[in-house]
Amino acid sequence: MNAIVYHGPQKLSLSPKEIPIPLEHEVLIQVKAAALCHTDLHFQDGTLNLNSTNFTLGHEIAGTITKVGPSVSPQLIGKRVVVYYYVGCGACEWCLKGEEQLCGSLKSEFGFISDGGLAGYLKCPSLNCVSIPDSLSFEQAAPIGCGVTTAVHASKRADMKSTDTVVVYGCNGVGYGLVQLAHNMSCPTIIAVARQEIHRSTALKYGATHVIDGTDSSTVAASIREATGGEGASIIYECVGLRETMDACVGWAGGLGKRGRLVLIGYAAGSENDFRCHPIPLVVYEQSVIGSVGATLDDLKEAVQLVADSKVRTHVDSCIGISEVLGKDGGLARIKTCRCNGKIVVNDFTS
Ligand SMILES: [Zn+2]
Ligand SMILES: [Zn+2]
């Protein structure tokens, strides 16, 4: 089979790999769709280096179970599923609470430290599979595995409520999910900040009440204040993670209001993108800075249900073959240079 293999920073290749054999509690999935993610770029450029190499990238995975290990019911064969990409140790306090994304001794993390879904096949524990309804195509389902479920998790970290004034800073994958979750919750003010007009108009379609052009980030805080009657937002989801975008959120004149929660989801390489803020405005405004990483298995189940019920839609930019992932006009390069709206999904693993 063909696979997109990570050999280290700047070293990705399309390479042949053996089809894996499912062990004891595992299943073999024929991958039908795998979405590309900004995180894949972080591997490519060296921002994310988890000291593991020579594994297949791809953590937004949908497919069909074609084989099962000895301890798994053969009735699962033929099931259409999305994959939860963490396999925790099962014994630490976080795993016992169902928060595998915080496990310090992960057994696997598909597409991060172990073989992911940018390949014809993937094996994983049967418990990591979440069924998808027939009404969803594989292409619609794959981006749930990270894009939607990351948004669901972040909204819980923010403790989002119907009274919140919400800013989604950076709209493409996770951002569209967050806009729709805030819309479902009937939040009165939902502000989407994006540099590209196409991203702003898509956010409006998904329920944003205001859009702000983020091209000049030095003007964003004032625009958020204006849209919130001077109060500032009660939640900002920061999906970009550049110094200038984070600066627009905090400080005396930042976009975040009193007792506001800044949820950091995106990040970028280099100390020039360290988060910085003098504590005084944080203290005086009683603001919180919250990190949010990945999701729990329950978050993924909830995300699948939301998409199945048409409450959240995954936004697919285009579908490509596995040979079109790398290269200067490949899928990853298009994400890097913002030449896509929504998810680029690989749905052809032969060419
Ligand atoms: Zn654990
Ligand atoms: Zn992702």
Side-chain angles (χ1 to χ4, degrees):
M1 64 176 186
N2 292 318
I4 301 294
V5 180
Y6 170 80
H7 306 277
Q10 320 294 344
K11 284 183 266 174
L12 268 57
S13 72
L14 173 62
S15 305
K17 272 204 161 192
E18 291 292 312
I19 295 176
I21 297 165
L23 304 176
E24 209 56 32
H25 297 281
E26 293 177 331
V27 298
L28 180 70
I29 295 170
Q30 182 176 15
V31 182
K32 299 287 189 176
L36 303 181
C37 179
H38 215 96
T39 306
D40 301 324
L41 281 180
H42 291 328
F43 279 106
Q44 192 176 43
D45 66 18
T47 306
L48 197 58
N49 184 352
L50 302 174
N51 295 318
S52 180
T53 53
N54 299 322
F55 62 87
T56 305
L57 284 176
H59 57 273
E60 312 196 19
I61 311 154
T64 304
I65 296 175
T66 56
K67 262 188 197 166
V68 296
S71 301
V72 179
S73 165
Q75 286 185 338
L76 289 184
I77 292 172
K79 286 260 183 266
R80 305 166 80 247
V81 297
V82 289
V83 176
Y84 178 61
Y85 61 78
Y86 294 100
V87 183
C89 71
C92 73
E93 76 167 293
W94 301 107
C95 284
L96 293 174
K97 284 196 282 196
E99 306 258 14
E100 288 173 79
Q101 78 282 4
L102 294 177
C103 176
S105 314
L106 288 171
K107 288 182 186 163
S108 299
E109 191 180 4
F110 308 121
F112 288 83
I113 57 173
S114 40
D115 285 336
L118 282 169
Y121 292 84
L122 158 97
K123 68 167 187 164
C124 72
S126 61
L127 291 177
N128 281 59
C129 297
V130 178
S131 285
I132 51 174
D134 291 340
S135 58
L136 284 184
S137 69
F138 289 114
E139 291 81 358
Q140 288 171 305
I144 302 172
C146 167
V148 181
T149 195
T150 300
V152 167
H153 187 68
S155 72
K156 290 179 184 171
R157 294 284 298 135
D159 194 19
M160 182 163 67
K161 298 205 165 50
S162 61
T163 48
D164 279 312
T165 50
V166 175
V167 171
V168 179
Y169 204 138
C171 268
N172 208 352
V174 175
Y176 291 147
L178 287 164
V179 166
Q180 293 176 84
L181 291 173
H183 177 70
N184 287 336
M185 211 164 252
S186 306
C187 296
T189 304
I190 306 166
I191 303 164
V193 185
R195 282 179 300 177
Q196 291 191 45
E197 160 54 27
I198 181 79
H199 294 170
R200 296 194 293 274
S201 58
T202 306
L204 282 172
K205 205 176 83 185
Y206 285 135
T209 59
H210 301 67
V211 287
I212 293 173
D213 182 354
T215 306
D216 179 359
S217 44
S218 70
T219 64
V220 168
S223 301
I224 292 172
R225 294 245 159 212
E226 194 185 318
T228 53
E231 289 294 314
S234 57
I235 299 176
I236 300 181
Y237 295 107
E238 224 293 15
C239 304
V240 185
L242 296 172
R243 163 70 54 83
E244 67 214 49
T245 60
M246 294 185 288
D247 280 354
C249 299
V250 291
W252 293 116
L256 195 64
K258 289 174 185 165
R259 243 182 233 178
R261 288 92 82 200
L262 173 64
V263 184
L264 299 176
I265 303 164
Y267 50 84
S271 57
E272 67 272 27
N273 292 308
D274 283 352
F275 175 68
R276 61 171 187 189
C277 177
H278 197 279
I280 297 178
L282 287 176
V283 169
V284 171
Y285 290 156
E286 295 196 345
Q287 294 168 331
S288 308
V289 180
I290 298 166
S292 185
V293 66
T296 69
L297 179 59
D298 282 344
D299 292 330
L300 177 58
K301 289 175 179 169
E302 194 176 324
V304 168
Q305 197 57 51
L306 284 165
V307 178
D309 294 343
S310 302
K311 288 184 176 159
V312 174
R313 285 173 207 281
T314 52
H315 196 87
V316 175
D317 172 275
S318 50
C319 295
I320 62 172
I322 195 164
S323 62
E324 299 167 283
V325 172
L326 305 175
K328 79 175 181 4
D329 288 315
L332 285 178
R334 283 168 54 206
I335 296 176
K336 187 169 188 153
T337 50
C338 289
R339 284 179 286 151
C340 60
N341 182 25
K343 285 288 182 181
I344 298 174
V345 177
V346 177
N347 67 348
D348 178 354
F349 294 90
T350 54
S351 60

